[in-house]
Amino acid sequence: MRSPFGWFLLKRLAQAVVVVFFVTLIVFGLLHALPGGVARGILGAQASNAEIASFNRAQGFDKPLPVQYWMYLSRLLHANLGTSYKLNQSVGSLIASRLPRTLVLTGVSTAVAFVVAVPLGVWQAIRRRRLADYVITTGAFVGYATPVYFLALLLVIVFNADLHLLPSQVPGTYNLGQLLAHPSVLVLPVVTLAVPTIAVFSRYTRSAVLDNLSEDYTRTARAKGAPERRVVGIHVLRNSLTPVIAMLGYYVPVMFSGAIVVEEIFNFPGMGLLFWNAAQTSDYPVLLGVILLIALATVTGSLLADIAQAVADPRVRSGLK
Amino acid sequence: MTSAPGAPRRVLGIEALSVTFRSPRAEQVAVRDVTIEVYPGEIVAIVGESGSGKSVTALSTLGLLPPHAAQQGRVEVDGLDVRSLGPERLRALRGARVAMVFQEPMTALNPAFSIGWQVAEALRVHDRRLSKREAMRRAGELLVLAGIRDAGRRLGQFPHELSGGLRQRVMIAIAIACDPKLLIADEATTALDVTVQAEILDLLRSIRDRMGTAVLVITHNMGVVADIADRVIVMKDGRVVEQASVDDLFERPQEPYTKRLLAAVPRLQPHPRGTRLLEEVAVPTRPGAAGSATPTAPRAPVPGAPDLRRSGDVLSVEHLTVEFGARATGRLRAVDDVSFSISPGEVLGLVGESGSGKSTVGKCIVGLVKPTSGRVRLWGEDLSAASGRSLKRLRRRCSVVFQDPGSSLDPRMTVAECVAEPLVVNRSGSRRSRDARVVSLLESVRLDADLRYRYPHELSGGQRQRVSIARALALGPELLVADEPTSALDVSVQATVLDLLLDLQAKFGFGCLFITHDLAVVSLLADRVAVMHSGRLVELGTRDEVLFNPKDPYTQRLVAAAPVPDPVEQRERRQKRLALAGGPGPGAEAGSTGQAGGGE
Amino acid sequence: MTRGTTGGPGTGDRSVPAAGSSPELGAPRPAVAHRAGRGAGMARRVARDFSRNRLGMVGLGIIVGLVLFCFVGPLVYHTDQVHVNLAQVDLPPGHSGHLLGTDDVGHDILGRLMYGGRNSLEIGLAAGVIAVWLGTLWGAVAGYAGGWVEGLMMRIVDAGIAIPALFLLLVVATMVTPTVPMLIVIIGLVSWLVPARLVRAETVSLRTRDYVQVVKAMGGGATRAVFRHIVPNVVGTMIVNATFQVADAILLLAYVSFLGLGLPQPQTDWGGMLSNGIQYTYDGYWWMIIPAGVVIVLVVSAFNFVGDALRDAFEVRLQGRS
């Protein structure tokens, strides 16, 4: 671990661990911020004091807070997220069955968004302050400003209610294989989720390309006699893409936020819908388990993003020394 | 030199060129009616200060001006009218017939590609049939031609792994890839240390000698001009002021501007005490102004100035060592066992190249960097042991001026607030007395007192640096640490600021640590000189000993490499330097890798 | 979907490593902007550069228009937004003098847009300001303190960002019945993280500026460095970010009702109207969906246009400085 890169990795990992620790604190605190405690939420306002006391004993809620936190942490370290109050299943297995479907949804729409957004952003940058730039900029801001569920409604109204082209609901029993066998059910959810992502990534690409276009090395490439498409397509793009790809890592929590809305609207049987239904029934172990998992995914995402930047960009690499 | 018109065909002909930058906010004429010719095998220098239009002129020859630049006139390269070429033919011209080397070797290469790839690209964009392997082989040859010894290993390296000098050699390899008729070097040595600069100039000269390439050197540095140019074009405010052969220009400058410019260049020579660069120093003679006394008898305390002789050394630095970086990744020793002292009223010049650790020493003295070991004593008191009121008292007596006039003043504060800040921080005086003090301080740095209501961005670089000096003088310091205070300034502005510093030092008698890379500046104002190299103090002595009879081999090389603004003398110095280095030609540079050092 | 963590289309620009800030290739920077700006105050120059930005001016126009619509509109167009009127439910636009029809309890939609818009704008504005204010304080202190204090403070921000706001709000929705002040606080509390990161990054870079170093060298304390030098110099960043934060707060508010944390009837906001319309997707009652959706898109993109133009204006100023 004498190498700067190894040292950087170690430091970054330690930071990630600290962040996860804070997340567990927040999640634990959330659980105990419930008015009247968890028991009231689950058993309802009519529950007798004896019922509540026995529930609390069963869940260990009668112990002092630090002890409870310690129990919570040690359960987590054994990959035990608890058991759902309502579904009589471990939270771990509930998430495991739904996560792949959510990953398909978010993965496909991120890929679609990336493929559309990067060329758009590059195009805008080279047509800066021209009509195309203004039009795409406006489109990006409008796309960004549209609440996902409003966009979903519009798409449903047009493509389902009016044109009868695409299904608006995913059958709740679909497993991963069936989902992939019927891609038409994926179209509207994927598009809905991709639009705001395209908005964000095209803007980001645009500014990255603009920054690199004003770099000295761009002028060097031109002075060599490199044609403009080579200057942009090779010199500039190679350097602009690194931060954009890293951005994917930082984008994880936003993508999950979008997924929760999209899954609710299209009845898509993923983790978001699980979370949504758990919120309606105050199924706290599920809520907290999902939040923790997403926080872990976020921390991992930004860790990977940082590492990717460090590996791909010699400038960052040398900055580590 | 083949400036005789008629005989060979010119490689560059600029006729009545004017360039105007148009933006929604302003219209600015950058170049006005400029006519320039360059012939094969000739080295022509365009010299001028910032805003003279010299770089814009250079960019126009490659058709590289931005779209909002409106041009008039004719630019002809190797018989082709650049302005009439379409994009494809313009592209074919760039790199092939005319090539350019830019100022910043740190940013001019693409960080994401290996240098071999980047040199090979210069070949391949002009010869599509060239195979990758063949292009890479020729790239290796070009690196050798550019004086890079172990070219085979360098091909696969990335720009950040090379030193500034090596990167500039890579840029030159790219530029000569297609054997251009004209090579333009736009401030190509400005960002480099003097020893590296001398080698790059040698390389450019040898390229001209071997390949017959015409070279157009764009520079602000009269020493560079004297070293390399056959013919000189002086530009100011977008116009050509004077054209002459290099010997004529330096011996018999015709235009007043050229004369002023040459006079403003500090020379590396044993200046008699009390020398000023510009004769006609305008000292404000307002009634009641504090600075109305004509500077006389420098170094002797003026009556009324605090008598500093009693207290022994103002500053003593003892075995100072500074290390940076985490212990785990290996620490970098920026300053290594440095000791020196400054007596009252003395000016010590601290000289070194980038990464030598000279700035870090300055920061230790003003308490911005903590020494890893060793001591900084101010008036006998240990700075790191002082705290609370005694620390504050020490700090009152010692102040600092930094290099960059753009960042040393808070852009949200008026000039008056900036200058008064030390007074406010140290609770000195009432609001009214502070205002009076600001006025007198501004007058002592020869600024109009009305400027105190302005913001820093409304001032020029030279004015801003004067404000910094006024602020440094606010509490009547007995020690001034000046870190490259004139390096970011144009030469004529630098001259006025240097004269000002000399006058103020004579008047107030403060001790001064003057940190700089410029030996000529040191020869003008230092009593004693200390030379630093790689964190160590290699030589310390009186000015005349160190600069004109150096003992240490590094100091000898440094002194030999510093270009003097006199072509005849420079030719002699070059011969001497090459003898010292053990032979002419490229490949002189050892080729260090990695960062330039974290000390500065 | 809100930008929550990443900073959205606008703020994302800042985190790109910006080596050359001048977009104009090869143009000689020093003299131009300098001469043009001589004598003019900073605010005036920002205002002038802003006014030259077409999209920014359009955005400003939309915001002014919507504010007038919400706050002056009801003086001209009188409607009852309190009482349920079962005789006039689900009327299409133009029917019985209701320009945009009525909703499922008989409120006039146009009047309700004005009435709900007040809540949307007020909550968005207040929450955005709270977020920037909190974030600036947190970021400036962390950035200037450095060392382990900075590390700890920024890890807390990281942890906050790792829990997406929508998930948090959905959990909160199971616990409380919202009021306007509560929504302001909740949205403010989930939105201060991004500004905190921005301000910290800016502070770290300002901390090494010579003029802050000089203060240290002359014996000035940390308080002076932070409040006299660093905070005034991040004002530009704060103003730009505040604009984006208001946009985000209004957008987040639009999700709040969708998540079941909406204001109780008869109060409402644009998001409440929009999510209320969802149940009529298949009934063809488009007037319960489209108008509310459109004003949300309008106001959020307008604030983004303004923020984008402001950032450009401030950056021009920065260029002129050096």
Side-chain angles (χ1 to χ4, degrees):
Chain A
M1 278 297 156
R2 288 290 287 185
S3 79
F5 187 70
W7 189 249
F8 159 80
L9 266 185
L10 205 66
K11 201 176 127 192
R12 199 57 195 74
L13 264 173
Q15 285 183 352
V17 170
V18 174
V19 171
V20 172
F21 170 74
F22 279 127
V23 170
T24 62
L25 266 183
I26 296 173
V27 168
F28 181 79
L30 212 56
L31 190 67
H32 289 270
L34 290 173
V38 180
R40 274 275 171 244
I42 295 297
L43 303 175
Q46 289 82 26
S48 72
N49 285 343
E51 281 172 327
I52 286 176
S54 84
F55 177 87
N56 280 347
R57 232 187 343 274
Q59 299 289 329
F61 290 158
D62 53 344
K63 300 205 166 63
L65 278 186
V67 176
Q68 286 191 44
Y69 179 66
W70 178 247
M71 287 163 59
Y72 171 71
L73 262 193
S74 57
R75 278 203 307 275
L76 285 183
L77 287 176
H78 294 93
N80 179 2
L81 292 171
T83 306
S84 160
Y85 295 153
K86 297 291 160 77
L87 301 169
N88 276 324
Q89 244 184 316
S90 79
V91 174
S93 69
L94 281 170
I95 291 178
S97 67
R98 282 161 178 81
L99 184 61
R101 284 173 265 184
T102 296
L103 288 181
V104 166
L105 173 67
T106 51
V108 172
S109 60
T110 307
V112 168
F114 196 77
V115 167
V116 175
V118 169
L120 269 185
V122 174
W123 176 246
Q124 272 186 280
I126 51 186
R127 308 292 296 176
R128 186 166 190 257
R129 302 251 163 93
R130 312 258 190 95
L131 186 64
D133 185 24
Y134 284 120
V135 169
I136 301 172
T137 296
T138 309
F141 279 136
V142 168
Y144 177 77
T146 309
V148 170
Y149 68 99
F150 178 51
L151 179 66
L153 283 184
L154 293 178
L155 291 174
V156 166
I157 290 173
V158 173
F159 291 99
N160 181 265
D162 289 357
L163 300 174
H164 305 291
L165 273 177
L166 293 163
S168 71
Q169 299 284 296
V170 181
T173 56
Y174 267 21
N175 61 28
L176 196 61
Q178 288 168 306
L179 212 54
L180 295 173
H182 300 84
S184 68
V185 299
L186 277 171
V187 173
L188 288 184
V190 163
V191 170
T192 308
L193 202 46
V195 165
T197 314
I198 292 172
V200 171
F201 274 77
S202 68
R203 291 298 287 169
Y204 197 71
T205 308
R206 175 182 181 270
S207 73
V209 170
L210 277 178
D211 280 346
N212 278 289
L213 275 174
S214 67
E215 290 276 351
D216 286 351
Y217 72 75
T218 309
R219 192 177 54 180
T220 306
R222 290 199 178 112
K224 268 183 202 179
E228 196 58 25
R229 55 172 194 286
R230 191 180 167 86
V231 172
V232 176
I234 293 183
H235 286 269
V236 169
L237 198 61
R238 173 68 179 71
N239 285 290
S240 312
L241 227 43
T242 314
V244 176
I245 288 172
M247 181 81 173
L248 286 175
Y250 304 122
Y251 204 67
V252 169
V254 188
M255 211 61 207
F256 277 117
S257 290
I260 194 176
V261 175
V262 167
E263 291 185 7
E264 210 285 320
I265 295 230
F266 294 101
N267 196 38
F268 188 98
M271 209 166 62
L273 194 60
L274 172 74
F275 187 86
W276 186 281
N277 292 333
Q280 309 308 316
T281 57
S282 301
D283 198 346
Y284 291 106
V286 174
L287 293 180
L288 301 183
V290 171
I291 287 189
L292 199 65
L293 186 84
I294 288 172
L296 266 178
T298 305
V299 171
T300 314
S302 39
L303 186 66
L304 288 178
D306 287 357
I307 293 173
Q309 292 223 56
V311 171
D313 190 338
R315 280 174 295 185
V316 180
R317 227 185 296 152
S318 62
L320 296 176
K321 289 179 185 167
Chain B
M1 195 164 74
T2 42
S3 55
R9 188 169 75 157
R10 62 184 187 187
V11 266
L12 173 66
I14 295 175
E15 289 162 20
L17 178 72
S18 293
V19 182
T20 307
F21 288 101
R22 297 216 167 94
S23 76
R25 278 180 296 131
E27 193 164 282
Q28 195 213 8
V29 185
V31 173
R32 300 163 204 260
D33 195 23
V34 161
T35 298
I36 289 172
E37 289 189 321
V38 178
Y39 290 88
E42 193 183 25
I43 299 183
V44 178
I46 302 184
V47 64
E49 298 188 297
S50 57
S52 62
K54 56 190 193 299
S55 285
V56 174
T57 307
L59 286 172
S60 74
T61 59
L62 278 83
L64 273 177
L65 289 173
H68 65 278
Q71 301 177 57
Q72 283 177 324
R74 188 177 162 86
V75 179
E76 191 186 294
V77 172
D78 197 21
L80 290 172
D81 180 2
V82 174
R83 291 192 52 216
S84 70
L85 296 178
E88 183 50 33
R89 295 190 62 200
L90 190 60
R91 187 193 71 67
L93 171 96
R94 292 173 184 162
R97 294 182 195 225
V98 51
M100 196 153 171
V101 180
F102 298 101
Q103 171 173 1
E104 276 299 331
M106 297 299 174
T107 54
L109 289 167
N110 192 324
F113 296 99
S114 72
I115 59 168
W117 186 95
Q118 296 191 53
V119 179
E121 186 191 30
L123 294 161
R124 280 163 59 86
V125 292
H126 292 289
D127 183 1
R128 301 266 161 84
R129 286 163 305 177
L130 198 64
S131 74
K132 274 189 181 158
R133 175 186 291 261
E134 174 65 8
M136 199 54 99
R137 192 186 61 74
R138 289 200 21 213
E141 291 172 6
L142 284 166
L143 290 186
V144 173
L145 211 58
I148 298 178
R149 277 177 188 163
D150 40 0
R153 185 169 65 86
R154 300 283 181 201
L155 281 175
Q157 286 187 317
F158 286 87
H160 73 270
E161 297 175 280
L162 307 182
S163 66
L166 277 177
R167 275 184 248 200
Q168 206 58 300
R169 286 177 189 270
V170 173
M171 282 298 291
I172 291 173
I174 289 172
I176 59 175
C178 298
D179 196 5
K181 296 278 185 350
L182 175 64
L183 177 63
I184 301 176
D186 184 0
E187 300 277 13
T189 60
T190 304
L192 304 175
D193 284 325
V194 280
T195 49
V196 182
Q197 166 172 287
E199 291 168 5
I200 295 291
L201 292 178
D202 288 343
L203 174 62
L204 288 176
R205 199 178 295 109
S206 84
I207 286 170
R208 188 270 307 265
D209 294 344
R210 281 185 290 169
M211 303 164 72
T213 315
V215 181
L216 184 63
V217 175
I218 315 289
T219 185
H220 69 284
N221 187 328
M222 278 297 180
V224 168
V225 174
D227 185 273
I228 198 169
D230 302 322
R231 198 152 59 80
V232 188
I233 294 161
V234 182
M235 282 186 75
K236 179 182 190 289
D237 297 333
R239 290 180 209 280
V240 172
V241 176
E242 185 166 359
Q243 294 203 41
S245 78
V246 69
D247 292 326
D248 283 349
L249 188 94
F250 281 90
E251 268 167 46
R252 293 173 291 278
Q254 300 298 311
E255 296 297 318
Y257 174 72
T258 314
K259 288 177 190 160
R260 274 208 308 278
L261 200 60
L262 285 172
V265 181
R267 278 147 211 273
L268 177 55
Q269 53 185 249
H271 298 276
R273 302 228 142 147
T275 307
R276 298 292 181 270
L277 283 167
L278 308 173
E279 261 79 36
E280 57 284 347
V281 183
V283 179
T285 48
R286 288 164 178 247
S292 55
T294 323
T296 50
R299 312 282 187 272
V302 167
D307 179 19
L308 299 164
R309 306 231 159 196
R310 57 188 153 77
S311 50
D313 283 345
V314 172
L315 165 76
S316 67
V317 173
E318 298 163 6
H319 305 290
L320 184 71
T321 298
V322 181
E323 293 179 347
F324 290 116
R327 202 159 287 133
T329 51
R331 291 169 71 85
L332 179 91
R333 190 164 278 206
V335 178
D336 190 359
D337 193 24
V338 167
S339 303
F340 61 84
S341 63
I342 295 179
S343 49
E346 182 188 42
V347 179
L348 178 72
L350 183 58
V351 188
E353 296 187 301
S354 58
S356 63
K358 58 188 191 300
S359 285
T360 310
V361 170
K363 284 188 176 144
C364 281
I365 292 165
V366 292
L368 293 177
V369 170
K370 278 209 161 53
T372 309
S373 68
R375 255 185 212 89
V376 173
R377 283 184 195 279
L378 292 166
W379 300 276
E381 281 186 67
D382 186 347
L383 184 65
S384 53
S387 61
R389 291 182 58 182
S390 65
L391 180 65
K392 214 156 185 180
R393 207 181 56 241
L394 287 182
R395 286 193 155 154
R396 278 191 69 145
R397 296 165 70 182
C398 157
S399 62
V400 61
V401 177
F402 285 118
Q403 170 176 3
D404 182 4
S407 88
S408 58
L409 302 174
D410 188 334
R412 299 300 163 104
M413 283 187 165
T414 62
V415 166
E417 287 174 308
C418 288
V419 174
E421 191 165 26
L423 304 169
V424 175
V425 165
N426 288 286
R427 302 212 171 74
S428 163
S430 67
R431 185 174 289 262
R432 187 169 304 165
S433 76
R434 268 184 241 144
D435 192 51
R437 179 91 180 115
V438 166
V439 172
S440 84
L441 282 166
L442 288 179
E443 277 170 358
S444 67
V445 295
R446 297 177 201 134
L447 281 178
D448 191 338
D450 290 343
L451 285 181
R452 68 188 188 279
Y453 303 115
R454 299 266 190 98
Y455 284 89
H457 68 83
E458 298 172 285
L459 308 182
S460 69
Q463 287 175 320
R464 270 182 268 186
Q465 206 57 308
R466 283 158 196 260
V467 173
S468 289
I469 294 170
R471 175 177 59 187
L473 297 180
L475 291 167
E478 295 157 51
L479 174 66
L480 179 72
V481 176
D483 187 358
E484 302 265 15
T486 59
S487 302
L489 305 176
D490 273 328
V491 65
S492 58
V493 181
Q494 163 174 288
T496 59
V497 173
L498 286 176
D499 283 354
L500 172 71
L501 272 172
L502 283 165
D503 291 347
L504 291 170
Q505 205 274 335
K507 189 171 126 200
F508 296 115
F510 47 77
C512 178
L513 179 69
F514 196 96
I515 302 169
T516 183
H517 68 283
D518 192 333
L519 295 177
V521 167
V522 169
S523 77
L524 179 71
L525 49 69
D527 299 310
R528 286 192 305 145
V529 177
V531 182
M532 280 186 76
H533 179 52
S534 311
R536 299 182 144 273
L537 193 70
V538 295
E539 191 157 3
L540 173 64
T542 66
R543 179 195 66 178
D544 294 353
E545 283 166 12
V546 175
L547 295 184
F548 305 107
N549 191 15
K551 301 280 183 298
D552 181 81
Y554 174 75
T555 315
Q556 288 171 354
R557 267 188 289 143
L558 197 65
V559 171
V564 296
D566 180 336
V568 182
E569 193 191 336
Q570 183 59 22
R571 258 167 245 148
E572 287 167 18
R573 289 172 58 84
R574 193 193 310 144
Q575 296 310 322
K576 250 193 262 172
R577 174 169 59 79
L578 292 178
L580 204 67
E589 191 182 9
S592 61
T593 59
Q595 299 302 94
E600 316 240 343
Chain C
M1 171 162 26
T2 69
R3 62 183 70 136
T5 54
T6 52
T11 43
D13 294 13
R14 275 212 167 265
S15 31
V16 182
S21 54
S22 165
E24 261 69 47
L25 301 168
R29 266 191 288 155
V32 190
H34 191 247
R35 216 159 283 160
R38 197 168 286 261
M42 180 202 82
R44 249 171 58 201
R45 274 191 298 151
V46 169
R48 193 192 51 206
D49 285 331
F50 180 86
S51 68
R52 294 225 169 92
N53 188 312
R54 273 174 264 176
L55 292 182
M57 288 307 280
V58 169
L60 191 64
I62 292 173
I63 292 171
V64 170
L66 281 174
V67 167
L68 289 177
F69 169 77
C70 293
F71 291 90
V72 181
L75 304 177
V76 185
Y77 187 80
H78 304 279
T79 54
D80 181 357
Q81 294 298 333
V82 179
H83 301 98
V84 172
N85 184 352
L86 293 176
Q88 298 219 314
V89 295
D90 302 340
L91 294 178
H95 203 280
S96 320
H98 297 292
L99 288 178
L100 280 174
T102 60
D103 68 5
D104 50 358
V105 291
H107 296 313
D108 177 272
I109 297 266
L110 188 60
R112 201 148 185 79
L113 279 178
M114 299 171 181
Y115 175 73
R118 291 184 181 184
N119 279 334
S120 279
L121 292 174
E122 283 170 7
I123 296 173
L125 216 61
V129 168
I130 287 180
V132 173
W133 183 79
L134 240 173
T136 303
L137 221 59
W138 190 275
V141 170
Y144 188 80
W148 66 270
V149 176
E150 178 186 8
L152 194 72
M153 289 176 84
M154 294 326 287
R155 295 299 82 73
I156 290 172
V157 170
D158 289 350
I161 281 177
I163 303 174
L166 289 197
F167 288 78
L168 211 57
L169 290 178
L170 200 51
V171 175
V172 173
T174 67
M175 305 176 184
V176 297
T177 310
T179 60
V180 168
M182 190 191 288
L183 283 180
I184 291 175
V185 171
I186 290 175
I187 294 179
L189 282 181
V190 298
S191 309
W192 62 277
L193 303 159
V194 172
R197 268 192 181 172
L198 279 178
V199 171
R200 180 219 152 241
E202 188 112 338
T203 306
V204 166
S205 100
L206 285 172
R207 190 175 59 184
T208 59
R209 292 277 163 86
D210 287 346
Y211 58 81
V212 179
Q213 298 279 303
V214 169
V215 175
K216 240 173 153 182
M218 67 179 69
T223 322
R224 184 173 182 84
V226 170
F227 288 99
R228 284 291 285 150
H229 294 280
I230 291 178
V231 169
N233 279 288
V234 295
V235 158
T237 311
M238 278 166 62
I239 292 174
V240 171
N241 186 248
T243 319
F244 291 127
Q245 285 302 324
V246 170
D248 276 7
I250 296 175
L251 193 55
L252 192 57
L253 183 64
Y255 283 96
V256 159
S257 306
F258 177 75
L259 299 173
L261 197 58
L263 294 165
Q265 284 279 356
Q267 295 182 76
T268 193
D269 61 84
W270 289 336
M273 296 173 69
L274 179 57
S275 52
N276 187 48
I278 295 179
Q279 47 190 313
Y280 303 104
T281 314
Y282 290 97
D283 298 325
Y285 296 169
W286 59 266
W287 59 92
M288 288 195 212
I289 303 172
I290 307 290
V294 167
V295 285
I296 292 173
V297 174
L298 265 182
V299 73
V300 176
S301 19
F303 271 105
N304 272 307
F305 283 139
V306 170
D308 207 45
L310 275 178
R311 182 184 38 227
D312 283 356
F314 273 107
E315 280 189 359
V316 167
R317 186 192 65 78
L318 290 179
Q319 283 169 17
R321 191 168 79 198
S322 53

